[in-house]
Amino acid sequence: MEKREDLRSFLPYLPVVMRSSTLFWPSHVVEALKELARGPLHSHVDSGHILFTAIEDIRNSLSLSSNSLAPSTSLGYSLFFDELMTREESRKWFEEVVPALGSLLLRLPSLLEAHYENADKVLNVGAMIGTGLRMLDSQEAGIVFLSRELIAALLGCSLFCLFPDHDRYMKQLQIINFDQLFASLYEDYSQKQESKIRCIIHYFQRISSDMPKGVVSFERKVLPFEGDADLISYPKSNFWSTSAIPLCKFEVHTSGHIEDQSGEAVEVDFANKYLGGGALGRGCVQEEIRFMVSPELIAGMLFLTAMEENEAIDIVGVERFSSYTGYASSFRFSGDYVDERDVDNLGRRKTRIVAIDALCSPGMRQYREKFVLREINKAFCGFLYQFKYQKILQENGWSSEQFDASTLTHMETSEEEISNHEFEKFQNNYQRMEQGNNIGVATGNWGCGAFGGDPELKAIIQWLAASQALRPFIAYYTFGLEALQNLDEVASWILSQRWTVGDLWNMLIEYSTKRSKGETTVGFLRWLLPSLYGHGARFNSSNSP
Protein backbone atom coordinates (compact mmCIF):
# COMPACT_ATOMS: atom_id res chain seq x y z
CA MET A 1 0.00 0.00 0.00
CA GLU A 2 2.77 2.47 0.90
CA LYS A 3 4.28 1.96 -2.57
CA ARG A 4 1.30 3.57 -4.25
CA GLU A 5 2.36 7.02 -5.38
CA ASP A 6 -1.24 8.27 -5.55
CA LEU A 7 -1.90 7.36 -1.91
CA ARG A 8 1.45 8.64 -0.62
CA SER A 9 1.03 11.98 -2.37
CA PHE A 10 -2.53 12.47 -1.13
CA LEU A 11 -2.16 11.15 2.42
CA PRO A 12 -1.36 14.62 3.89
CA TYR A 13 -4.84 15.74 2.80
CA LEU A 14 -6.62 12.84 4.51
CA PRO A 15 -7.38 12.60 8.24
CA VAL A 16 -6.21 8.98 8.58
CA VAL A 17 -2.59 7.86 9.05
CA MET A 18 -0.55 5.00 7.59
CA ARG A 19 1.96 2.65 9.19
CA SER A 20 3.28 -0.69 7.92
CA SER A 21 1.12 -0.55 4.79
CA THR A 22 -2.03 -0.07 6.85
CA LEU A 23 -4.34 2.92 7.07
CA PHE A 24 -5.89 3.56 10.47
CA TRP A 25 -7.35 6.09 12.87
CA PRO A 26 -5.34 7.01 15.99
CA SER A 27 -6.61 5.04 19.00
CA HIS A 28 -8.29 8.04 20.67
CA VAL A 29 -10.25 8.69 17.48
CA VAL A 30 -11.34 5.05 17.31
CA GLU A 31 -12.68 5.22 20.86
CA ALA A 32 -14.51 8.47 20.19
CA LEU A 33 -16.12 7.13 17.02
CA LYS A 34 -17.12 3.90 18.78
CA GLU A 35 -18.85 5.97 21.45
CA LEU A 36 -20.75 7.94 18.80
CA ALA A 37 -21.72 4.70 17.07
CA ARG A 38 -23.27 3.33 20.29
CA GLY A 39 -25.76 6.19 20.43
CA PRO A 40 -26.50 9.08 22.80
CA LEU A 41 -27.13 6.83 25.83
CA HIS A 42 -23.42 5.97 25.77
CA SER A 43 -21.83 8.98 24.07
CA HIS A 44 -24.16 11.59 25.68
CA VAL A 45 -24.06 13.40 22.34
CA ASP A 46 -27.66 14.61 22.12
CA SER A 47 -27.33 18.28 21.16
CA GLY A 48 -25.48 20.47 18.69
CA HIS A 49 -23.38 21.94 21.46
CA ILE A 50 -22.24 18.54 22.72
CA LEU A 51 -21.76 17.25 19.17
CA PHE A 52 -19.31 20.00 18.43
CA THR A 53 -17.50 19.34 21.71
CA ALA A 54 -17.08 15.72 20.56
CA ILE A 55 -15.85 16.97 17.19
CA GLU A 56 -13.25 19.16 18.89
CA ASP A 57 -12.02 16.19 20.92
CA ILE A 58 -11.56 14.14 17.74
CA ARG A 59 -9.78 17.04 16.05
CA ASN A 60 -7.43 17.34 19.03
CA SER A 61 -6.61 13.63 18.72
CA LEU A 62 -5.66 14.31 15.10
CA SER A 63 -3.52 17.31 16.13
CA LEU A 64 -5.75 19.68 14.15
CA SER A 65 -5.60 23.25 15.35
CA SER A 66 -8.82 24.75 16.66
CA ASN A 67 -7.64 28.09 15.26
CA SER A 68 -8.09 26.83 11.71
CA LEU A 69 -11.89 26.66 12.05
CA ALA A 70 -14.18 29.65 11.54
CA PRO A 71 -14.65 31.39 14.93
CA SER A 72 -18.44 30.90 15.11
CA THR A 73 -18.48 27.26 14.07
CA SER A 74 -19.59 25.85 17.44
CA LEU A 75 -22.37 28.45 17.68
CA GLY A 76 -23.56 27.49 14.19
CA TYR A 77 -23.79 23.80 15.11
CA SER A 78 -25.71 24.69 18.28
CA LEU A 79 -28.07 27.02 16.41
CA PHE A 80 -28.97 24.48 13.76
CA PHE A 81 -29.28 21.27 15.79
CA ASP A 82 -30.66 22.80 19.00
CA GLU A 83 -32.92 25.60 17.75
CA LEU A 84 -33.74 25.28 14.06
CA MET A 85 -34.40 21.54 14.08
CA THR A 86 -37.69 20.41 15.58
CA ARG A 87 -37.51 18.23 18.68
CA GLU A 88 -38.44 15.15 16.65
CA GLU A 89 -35.90 15.92 13.92
CA SER A 90 -33.21 16.40 16.56
CA ARG A 91 -34.11 13.15 18.32
CA LYS A 92 -33.82 11.14 15.09
CA TRP A 93 -30.58 12.89 14.16
CA PHE A 94 -28.80 12.06 17.41
CA GLU A 95 -30.35 8.64 17.95
CA GLU A 96 -30.09 7.33 14.39
CA VAL A 97 -27.96 9.42 12.05
CA VAL A 98 -25.01 10.36 14.27
CA PRO A 99 -24.45 6.71 15.36
CA ALA A 100 -24.60 5.62 11.72
CA LEU A 101 -22.02 8.27 10.84
CA GLY A 102 -19.80 7.11 13.69
CA SER A 103 -19.89 3.56 12.31
CA LEU A 104 -19.26 4.81 8.78
CA LEU A 105 -16.20 6.84 9.80
CA LEU A 106 -14.80 3.86 11.67
CA ARG A 107 -14.78 2.08 8.31
CA LEU A 108 -13.03 4.92 6.45
CA PRO A 109 -9.53 3.34 6.63
CA SER A 110 -10.81 0.03 5.23
CA LEU A 111 -12.89 1.82 2.59
CA LEU A 112 -9.78 3.70 1.46
CA GLU A 113 -7.69 0.53 1.39
CA ALA A 114 -10.32 -1.23 -0.71
CA HIS A 115 -10.44 1.79 -2.99
CA TYR A 116 -6.69 1.75 -3.67
CA GLU A 117 -6.60 -2.03 -4.07
CA ASN A 118 -9.23 -1.81 -6.84
CA ALA A 119 -8.27 1.55 -8.35
CA ASP A 120 -6.40 0.08 -11.31
CA LYS A 121 -9.16 -2.37 -12.19
CA VAL A 122 -12.09 0.00 -12.68
CA LEU A 123 -11.62 0.53 -16.41
CA ASN A 124 -10.29 -2.97 -17.13
CA VAL A 125 -7.08 -1.62 -18.63
CA GLY A 126 -4.65 -2.69 -15.91
CA ALA A 127 -2.50 0.11 -14.56
CA MET A 128 -2.49 2.04 -17.84
CA ILE A 129 -5.06 4.54 -16.54
CA GLY A 130 -4.98 5.24 -12.83
CA THR A 131 -8.30 6.01 -11.15
CA GLY A 132 -7.14 6.21 -7.53
CA LEU A 133 -7.87 9.14 -5.24
CA ARG A 134 -5.09 11.67 -5.75
CA MET A 135 -4.55 15.34 -6.44
CA LEU A 136 -5.70 16.19 -9.95
CA ASP A 137 -3.55 19.26 -10.45
CA SER A 138 -3.85 21.90 -13.13
CA GLN A 139 -2.92 20.65 -16.64
CA GLU A 140 -3.08 17.05 -15.41
CA ALA A 141 -5.81 15.30 -17.36
CA GLY A 142 -7.03 12.35 -15.36
CA ILE A 143 -9.95 10.62 -13.70
CA VAL A 144 -10.79 9.42 -10.19
CA PHE A 145 -13.47 6.82 -9.43
CA LEU A 146 -14.90 6.81 -5.90
CA SER A 147 -17.48 4.42 -4.49
CA ARG A 148 -20.51 6.25 -3.20
CA GLU A 149 -19.96 4.69 0.22
CA LEU A 150 -16.45 6.13 0.32
CA ILE A 151 -17.85 9.50 -0.72
CA ALA A 152 -20.35 9.30 2.15
CA ALA A 153 -17.48 8.64 4.59
CA LEU A 154 -15.45 11.53 3.19
CA LEU A 155 -18.43 13.87 3.53
CA GLY A 156 -18.87 12.61 7.09
CA CYS A 157 -15.31 13.81 7.72
CA SER A 158 -16.32 17.19 6.27
CA LEU A 159 -19.29 17.40 8.65
CA PHE A 160 -17.01 16.60 11.58
CA CYS A 161 -14.35 19.04 10.23
CA LEU A 162 -11.63 16.36 10.25
CA PHE A 163 -9.69 17.25 7.09
CA PRO A 164 -6.29 18.93 7.49
CA ASP A 165 -6.35 22.34 5.86
CA HIS A 166 -2.88 23.76 6.48
CA ASP A 167 -1.90 24.23 2.82
CA ARG A 168 -5.10 23.83 0.83
CA TYR A 169 -5.05 27.50 -0.13
CA MET A 170 -1.47 27.23 -1.38
CA LYS A 171 -2.45 24.25 -3.53
CA GLN A 172 -5.42 26.18 -5.00
CA LEU A 173 -7.89 23.85 -3.32
CA GLN A 174 -11.31 24.72 -1.92
CA ILE A 175 -12.20 24.48 1.73
CA ILE A 176 -13.67 21.04 2.40
CA ASN A 177 -14.67 21.08 6.08
CA PHE A 178 -18.17 22.37 6.88
CA ASP A 179 -17.11 24.91 9.52
CA GLN A 180 -17.76 27.99 7.37
CA LEU A 181 -21.13 26.60 6.29
CA PHE A 182 -22.30 26.47 9.92
CA ALA A 183 -20.43 29.57 11.11
CA SER A 184 -22.11 31.65 8.39
CA LEU A 185 -25.51 30.48 9.65
CA TYR A 186 -24.83 32.01 13.04
CA GLU A 187 -22.96 35.12 11.92
CA ASP A 188 -25.51 36.22 9.32
CA TYR A 189 -28.62 34.07 9.62
CA SER A 190 -30.71 33.63 6.49
CA GLN A 191 -33.32 31.10 5.42
CA LYS A 192 -31.30 30.24 2.34
CA GLN A 193 -28.27 29.32 4.48
CA GLU A 194 -30.47 27.20 6.74
CA SER A 195 -31.90 25.51 3.63
CA LYS A 196 -28.42 24.73 2.33
CA ILE A 197 -27.60 22.95 5.56
CA ARG A 198 -30.96 21.16 5.51
CA CYS A 199 -30.06 19.72 2.10
CA ILE A 200 -26.77 18.38 3.51
CA ILE A 201 -28.43 16.99 6.64
CA HIS A 202 -31.12 15.35 4.51
CA TYR A 203 -28.39 13.61 2.51
CA PHE A 204 -26.88 12.17 5.71
CA GLN A 205 -30.32 11.07 6.87
CA ARG A 206 -30.88 9.22 3.60
CA ILE A 207 -27.51 7.47 3.43
CA SER A 208 -27.56 6.50 7.12
CA SER A 209 -30.61 4.31 6.54
CA ASP A 210 -29.84 3.19 2.98
CA MET A 211 -26.22 3.40 1.85
CA PRO A 212 -26.14 4.08 -1.91
CA LYS A 213 -24.34 1.66 -4.21
CA GLY A 214 -22.30 2.40 -7.29
CA VAL A 215 -19.54 4.86 -8.12
CA VAL A 216 -18.98 8.45 -9.16
CA SER A 217 -16.22 9.57 -11.53
CA PHE A 218 -14.45 12.93 -11.39
CA GLU A 219 -12.41 13.86 -14.46
CA ARG A 220 -10.18 16.83 -15.24
CA LYS A 221 -10.33 17.52 -18.98
CA VAL A 222 -7.58 19.51 -20.68
CA LEU A 223 -7.19 20.99 -24.16
CA PRO A 224 -3.36 21.05 -24.31
CA PHE A 225 -1.79 24.34 -25.35
CA GLU A 226 1.01 22.45 -27.08
CA GLY A 227 0.31 20.25 -30.09
CA ASP A 228 -0.53 16.61 -29.31
CA ALA A 229 -1.05 14.06 -32.06
CA ASP A 230 -3.50 12.13 -29.88
CA LEU A 231 -5.57 15.03 -28.54
CA ILE A 232 -7.45 18.03 -29.83
CA SER A 233 -5.32 21.03 -28.83
CA TYR A 234 -6.49 24.44 -27.64
CA PRO A 235 -8.05 25.95 -30.78
CA LYS A 236 -7.07 29.28 -32.26
CA SER A 237 -9.42 31.67 -34.06
CA ASN A 238 -8.78 30.11 -37.47
CA PHE A 239 -10.06 26.77 -36.18
CA TRP A 240 -13.44 28.37 -35.53
CA SER A 241 -13.63 30.78 -38.44
CA THR A 242 -13.10 28.03 -41.04
CA SER A 243 -15.06 25.20 -39.39
CA ALA A 244 -17.56 23.54 -41.70
CA ILE A 245 -19.21 21.47 -38.96
CA PRO A 246 -23.01 21.89 -39.17
CA LEU A 247 -24.81 23.54 -36.27
CA CYS A 248 -26.63 21.12 -33.97
CA LYS A 249 -30.30 21.39 -33.00
CA PHE A 250 -31.16 24.18 -30.58
CA GLU A 251 -34.03 23.69 -28.12
CA VAL A 252 -35.22 26.64 -26.06
CA HIS A 253 -36.94 26.12 -22.69
CA THR A 254 -38.42 29.22 -21.08
CA SER A 255 -39.18 27.44 -17.80
CA GLY A 256 -37.74 24.60 -15.73
CA HIS A 257 -34.27 23.84 -14.43
CA ILE A 258 -31.26 22.24 -16.12
CA GLU A 259 -31.19 19.39 -13.60
CA ASP A 260 -34.83 18.57 -14.37
CA GLN A 261 -34.08 17.56 -17.96
CA SER A 262 -35.35 14.02 -18.45
CA GLY A 263 -32.74 12.71 -20.88
CA GLU A 264 -29.04 11.97 -20.55
CA ALA A 265 -27.77 15.37 -21.65
CA VAL A 266 -24.61 16.79 -20.11
CA GLU A 267 -25.73 19.33 -17.50
CA VAL A 268 -23.61 22.48 -17.33
CA ASP A 269 -22.42 23.65 -13.93
CA PHE A 270 -21.93 27.43 -14.11
CA ALA A 271 -18.77 26.96 -12.13
CA ASN A 272 -16.29 29.03 -10.24
CA LYS A 273 -12.68 28.30 -11.23
CA TYR A 274 -12.56 26.68 -7.77
CA LEU A 275 -15.00 23.79 -8.09
CA GLY A 276 -18.07 24.30 -5.92
CA GLY A 277 -17.68 28.06 -5.64
CA GLY A 278 -19.30 29.23 -2.40
CA ALA A 279 -21.15 25.96 -1.76
CA LEU A 280 -19.55 25.55 1.67
CA GLY A 281 -19.76 29.25 2.43
CA ARG A 282 -22.50 31.81 1.80
CA GLY A 283 -22.93 31.26 -1.97
CA CYS A 284 -26.35 30.22 -3.24
CA VAL A 285 -26.62 30.52 -7.01
CA GLN A 286 -26.60 27.88 -9.74
CA GLU A 287 -23.44 25.96 -8.86
CA GLU A 288 -23.93 26.10 -5.11
CA ILE A 289 -27.55 24.94 -5.36
CA ARG A 290 -26.53 21.99 -7.56
CA PHE A 291 -23.94 20.97 -4.97
CA MET A 292 -26.51 21.16 -2.16
CA VAL A 293 -29.17 19.00 -3.82
CA SER A 294 -26.47 16.51 -4.95
CA PRO A 295 -23.91 16.63 -2.09
CA GLU A 296 -21.75 13.88 -3.63
CA LEU A 297 -20.43 16.64 -5.90
CA ILE A 298 -18.68 18.15 -2.86
CA ALA A 299 -16.22 15.23 -2.81
CA GLY A 300 -14.55 16.66 -5.92
CA MET A 301 -13.61 19.77 -3.97
CA LEU A 302 -11.26 17.60 -1.91
CA PHE A 303 -8.77 16.90 -4.71
CA LEU A 304 -9.52 19.02 -7.80
CA THR A 305 -7.46 22.21 -7.90
CA ALA A 306 -8.58 25.42 -9.60
CA MET A 307 -9.31 25.26 -13.31
CA GLU A 308 -7.24 27.10 -15.91
CA GLU A 309 -8.69 28.52 -19.12
CA ASN A 310 -8.09 25.28 -21.08
CA GLU A 311 -9.68 22.97 -18.50
CA ALA A 312 -13.07 21.62 -17.48
CA ILE A 313 -14.28 19.07 -14.94
CA ASP A 314 -16.64 16.18 -15.71
CA ILE A 315 -18.55 14.48 -12.91
CA VAL A 316 -20.66 11.42 -13.68
CA GLY A 317 -22.81 9.36 -11.32
CA VAL A 318 -24.08 11.64 -8.54
CA GLU A 319 -27.59 11.27 -7.15
CA ARG A 320 -29.98 14.08 -6.42
CA PHE A 321 -31.42 13.85 -2.88
CA SER A 322 -33.33 17.10 -2.30
CA SER A 323 -36.11 19.16 -3.86
CA TYR A 324 -35.97 22.93 -3.67
CA THR A 325 -37.66 26.16 -4.67
CA GLY A 326 -36.28 29.61 -5.34
CA TYR A 327 -32.84 30.93 -6.16
CA ALA A 328 -30.17 32.89 -4.28
CA SER A 329 -31.85 34.57 -1.28
CA SER A 330 -35.17 32.84 -2.03
CA PHE A 331 -33.63 29.33 -2.12
CA ARG A 332 -35.54 26.90 0.11
CA PHE A 333 -35.16 23.18 0.82
CA SER A 334 -38.55 21.62 0.05
CA GLY A 335 -38.14 17.96 0.94
CA ASP A 336 -37.02 14.63 -0.42
CA TYR A 337 -36.27 13.95 -4.07
CA VAL A 338 -36.36 10.48 -5.62
CA ASP A 339 -33.77 10.25 -8.39
CA GLU A 340 -34.75 7.61 -10.95
CA ARG A 341 -31.84 7.92 -13.36
CA ASP A 342 -30.52 4.63 -14.75
CA VAL A 343 -27.01 3.31 -14.09
CA ASP A 344 -24.33 2.79 -16.75
CA ASN A 345 -22.08 -0.25 -17.16
CA LEU A 346 -19.48 1.25 -14.80
CA GLY A 347 -22.00 1.57 -11.99
CA ARG A 348 -22.49 5.32 -12.37
CA ARG A 349 -25.89 6.95 -12.30
CA LYS A 350 -26.49 8.54 -15.71
CA THR A 351 -26.21 12.09 -14.46
CA ARG A 352 -23.45 13.90 -16.32
CA ILE A 353 -22.31 17.28 -15.05
CA VAL A 354 -19.60 19.42 -16.59
CA ALA A 355 -18.11 22.32 -14.63
CA ILE A 356 -16.89 25.23 -16.75
CA ASP A 357 -15.95 28.64 -15.37
CA ALA A 358 -16.75 31.78 -17.31
CA LEU A 359 -15.06 35.19 -17.22
CA CYS A 360 -16.00 37.07 -14.06
CA SER A 361 -17.20 40.68 -14.40
CA PRO A 362 -15.96 40.86 -18.01
CA GLY A 363 -17.53 44.22 -18.91
CA MET A 364 -16.73 45.38 -22.43
CA ARG A 365 -13.67 43.14 -22.73
CA GLN A 366 -16.00 40.16 -23.30
CA TYR A 367 -16.57 41.46 -26.85
CA ARG A 368 -12.89 41.38 -27.76
CA GLU A 369 -11.98 38.37 -29.91
CA LYS A 370 -9.36 37.18 -27.41
CA PHE A 371 -11.99 36.76 -24.72
CA VAL A 372 -14.69 35.36 -27.01
CA LEU A 373 -12.10 32.74 -27.95
CA ARG A 374 -11.40 32.05 -24.28
CA GLU A 375 -15.10 31.42 -23.59
CA ILE A 376 -15.78 29.23 -26.59
CA ASN A 377 -12.68 27.10 -25.91
CA LYS A 378 -13.71 26.71 -22.27
CA ALA A 379 -17.16 25.46 -23.33
CA PHE A 380 -15.65 23.29 -26.08
CA CYS A 381 -13.33 21.64 -23.56
CA GLY A 382 -16.33 20.87 -21.38
CA PHE A 383 -18.55 19.54 -24.16
CA LEU A 384 -15.89 17.60 -26.07
CA TYR A 385 -15.68 13.84 -25.71
CA GLN A 386 -12.15 13.27 -26.98
CA PHE A 387 -12.57 9.53 -27.62
CA LYS A 388 -15.73 9.96 -29.70
CA TYR A 389 -14.21 12.89 -31.56
CA GLN A 390 -11.04 10.96 -32.35
CA LYS A 391 -13.04 7.93 -33.45
CA ILE A 392 -14.83 9.82 -36.19
CA LEU A 393 -11.54 11.33 -37.34
CA GLN A 394 -9.95 7.87 -37.51
CA GLU A 395 -12.91 6.49 -39.46
CA ASN A 396 -12.19 9.14 -42.06
CA GLY A 397 -8.42 8.68 -41.97
CA TRP A 398 -7.70 12.15 -40.56
CA SER A 399 -5.50 13.30 -37.71
CA SER A 400 -6.62 15.98 -35.27
CA GLU A 401 -4.18 18.41 -36.89
CA GLN A 402 -5.89 17.90 -40.25
CA PHE A 403 -9.32 18.37 -38.77
CA ASP A 404 -9.55 22.09 -38.59
CA ALA A 405 -12.21 23.77 -40.61
CA SER A 406 -9.99 24.29 -43.61
CA THR A 407 -10.07 20.53 -44.15
CA LEU A 408 -13.83 20.51 -44.51
CA THR A 409 -13.83 23.73 -46.46
CA HIS A 410 -11.49 22.15 -48.99
CA MET A 411 -13.73 19.11 -49.02
CA GLU A 412 -16.59 21.28 -50.10
CA THR A 413 -14.77 23.54 -52.54
CA SER A 414 -11.89 21.64 -54.07
CA GLU A 415 -12.51 18.37 -55.90
CA GLU A 416 -8.83 18.33 -56.79
CA GLU A 417 -7.84 17.92 -53.14
CA ILE A 418 -10.56 15.51 -51.99
CA SER A 419 -13.17 13.44 -53.76
CA ASN A 420 -16.93 13.73 -53.38
CA HIS A 421 -16.90 10.14 -52.15
CA GLU A 422 -14.67 11.07 -49.20
CA PHE A 423 -16.88 14.02 -48.31
CA GLU A 424 -19.97 11.80 -48.40
CA LYS A 425 -18.13 9.33 -46.17
CA PHE A 426 -17.62 12.07 -43.58
CA GLN A 427 -21.24 13.17 -43.78
CA ASN A 428 -22.48 9.60 -43.36
CA ASN A 429 -20.18 8.97 -40.38
CA TYR A 430 -21.21 12.24 -38.77
CA GLN A 431 -24.90 11.45 -39.21
CA ARG A 432 -24.41 7.91 -37.90
CA MET A 433 -22.64 9.25 -34.83
CA GLU A 434 -25.46 11.71 -34.23
CA GLN A 435 -28.06 8.95 -34.43
CA GLY A 436 -26.09 6.71 -32.07
CA ASN A 437 -25.35 9.43 -29.53
CA ASN A 438 -28.32 11.17 -27.95
CA ILE A 439 -26.20 12.85 -25.27
CA GLY A 440 -26.66 16.53 -25.93
CA VAL A 441 -25.97 19.53 -23.69
CA ALA A 442 -28.41 21.06 -21.19
CA THR A 443 -27.41 24.57 -20.23
CA GLY A 444 -28.57 28.13 -19.71
CA ASN A 445 -27.25 31.57 -18.88
CA TRP A 446 -23.71 30.47 -18.13
CA GLY A 447 -21.42 33.26 -16.99
CA CYS A 448 -24.30 35.73 -16.70
CA GLY A 449 -26.11 36.87 -13.57
CA ALA A 450 -23.56 37.23 -10.77
CA PHE A 451 -20.68 36.81 -13.24
CA GLY A 452 -21.93 39.70 -15.39
CA GLY A 453 -21.73 38.16 -18.87
CA ASP A 454 -23.87 38.99 -21.90
CA PRO A 455 -26.53 36.22 -22.12
CA GLU A 456 -26.99 36.57 -25.89
CA LEU A 457 -23.26 36.24 -26.49
CA LYS A 458 -22.98 33.28 -24.10
CA ALA A 459 -25.92 31.45 -25.67
CA ILE A 460 -24.36 31.58 -29.13
CA ILE A 461 -20.91 30.67 -27.81
CA GLN A 462 -22.30 27.54 -26.13
CA TRP A 463 -24.22 26.57 -29.28
CA LEU A 464 -21.05 26.85 -31.36
CA ALA A 465 -19.03 24.82 -28.83
CA ALA A 466 -21.65 22.07 -28.60
CA SER A 467 -21.87 21.84 -32.38
CA GLN A 468 -18.11 21.66 -32.85
CA ALA A 469 -17.95 18.98 -30.13
CA LEU A 470 -20.38 16.94 -32.27
CA ARG A 471 -23.16 17.05 -29.71
CA PRO A 472 -26.52 16.33 -31.39
CA PHE A 473 -28.44 19.12 -29.62
CA ILE A 474 -28.30 21.85 -27.03
CA ALA A 475 -31.23 22.34 -24.64
CA TYR A 476 -31.11 25.94 -23.47
CA TYR A 477 -32.97 27.07 -20.33
CA THR A 478 -33.50 30.83 -20.45
CA PHE A 479 -35.01 31.10 -16.91
CA GLY A 480 -37.43 33.61 -18.47
CA LEU A 481 -34.70 36.16 -19.18
CA GLU A 482 -36.20 39.00 -21.22
CA ALA A 483 -33.06 39.49 -23.33
CA LEU A 484 -33.55 35.96 -24.71
CA GLN A 485 -37.26 36.14 -25.47
CA ASN A 486 -36.56 35.86 -29.22
CA LEU A 487 -33.79 33.26 -28.93
CA ASP A 488 -35.95 30.43 -30.25
CA GLU A 489 -36.94 32.37 -33.39
CA VAL A 490 -33.39 33.53 -34.09
CA ALA A 491 -32.00 30.00 -33.64
CA SER A 492 -34.66 28.57 -35.96
CA TRP A 493 -33.82 31.17 -38.59
CA ILE A 494 -30.09 30.45 -38.33
CA LEU A 495 -30.73 26.71 -38.72
CA SER A 496 -32.92 27.38 -41.76
CA GLN A 497 -29.93 29.07 -43.41
CA ARG A 498 -27.83 25.90 -42.95
CA TRP A 499 -25.00 27.88 -41.47
CA THR A 500 -21.88 26.06 -40.29
CA VAL A 501 -19.99 26.68 -37.07
CA GLY A 502 -17.61 28.87 -39.06
CA ASP A 503 -20.45 30.93 -40.54
CA LEU A 504 -22.00 31.71 -37.18
CA TRP A 505 -18.62 32.29 -35.51
CA ASN A 506 -17.72 34.87 -38.15
CA MET A 507 -21.01 36.68 -37.63
CA LEU A 508 -20.44 36.67 -33.88
CA ILE A 509 -16.94 38.10 -34.29
CA GLU A 510 -18.20 40.79 -36.67
CA TYR A 511 -20.81 41.78 -34.10
CA SER A 512 -18.39 41.63 -31.17
CA THR A 513 -15.88 43.82 -33.00
CA LYS A 514 -18.54 46.45 -33.67
CA ARG A 515 -19.76 46.22 -30.09
CA SER A 516 -16.29 46.61 -28.59
CA LYS A 517 -15.67 49.67 -30.81
CA GLY A 518 -18.97 51.24 -29.81
CA GLU A 519 -20.38 50.95 -33.35
CA THR A 520 -23.46 49.17 -32.01
CA THR A 521 -25.08 48.98 -28.61
CA VAL A 522 -27.83 46.45 -29.31
CA GLY A 523 -27.68 42.78 -28.39
CA PHE A 524 -26.52 40.13 -30.87
CA LEU A 525 -30.02 38.79 -31.57
CA ARG A 526 -31.42 42.22 -32.46
CA TRP A 527 -28.27 43.04 -34.47
CA LEU A 528 -28.56 39.82 -36.48
CA LEU A 529 -32.34 39.88 -37.04
CA PRO A 530 -33.69 43.39 -36.44
CA SER A 531 -36.95 42.39 -38.16
CA LEU A 532 -37.97 40.53 -34.99
CA TYR A 533 -37.75 43.83 -33.16
CA GLY A 534 -39.55 45.88 -35.81
CA HIS A 535 -36.57 47.42 -37.62
CA GLY A 536 -36.37 45.67 -40.97
CA ALA A 537 -34.48 42.50 -41.78
CA ARG A 538 -30.70 42.32 -41.79
CA PHE A 539 -30.95 39.27 -44.05
CA ASN A 540 -33.75 37.95 -46.22
CA SER A 541 -34.59 34.24 -46.18
CA SER A 542 -32.07 33.44 -48.89
CA ASN A 543 -29.17 35.29 -47.29
CA SER A 544 -26.17 33.64 -45.74
CA PRO A 545 -22.91 35.22 -44.59
Side-chain angles (χ1 to χ4, degrees), residues 19-40:
R19 186 180 302 145
S20 301
S21 300
T22 302
L23 293 172
F24 63 94
W25 288 112
S27 58
H28 291 301
V29 176
V30 171
E31 292 306 313
L33 292 175
K34 283 183 176 178
E35 283 294 300
L36 288 178
R38 295 174 70 186

Side-chain angles (χ1 to χ4, degrees), residues 471-485:
R471 295 289 179 178
F473 68 88
I474 185 169
Y476 195 97
Y477 292 79
T478 67
F479 301 98
L481 198 64
E482 184 177 352
L484 299 178
Q485 61 183 340

Side-chain angles (χ1 to χ4, degrees), residues 325-360:
T325 60
Y327 189 80
S329 62
S330 66
F331 172 75
R332 300 290 182 272
F333 168 74
S334 61
D336 190 38
Y337 181 88
V338 179
D339 193 332
E340 298 179 344
R341 292 279 176 89
D342 291 334
V343 174
D344 67 15
N345 58 5
L346 292 174
R348 302 175 300 179
R349 193 172 290 267
K350 291 183 179 179
T351 298
R352 301 172 172 88
I353 296 172
V354 61
I356 50 176
D357 58 299
L359 292 168
C360 187

Side-chain angles (χ1 to χ4, degrees), residues 456 490 522-531 533-536 538:
E456 297 177 53
V490 174
V522 302
F524 178 75
L525 305 182
R526 181 189 292 265
W527 177 83
L528 185 68
L529 277 184
S531 59
Y533 301 83
H535 293 286
R538 179 178 178 80

Side-chain angles (χ1 to χ4, degrees), residues 233 315 396 435:
S233 298
I315 303 174
N396 287 276
Q435 294 166 359

Side-chain angles (χ1 to χ4, degrees), residues 45 127 138 160 345 353 442 470 474 545:
V45 175
S138 178
F160 287 1
N345 58 5
I353 296 172
L470 307 183
I474 185 169

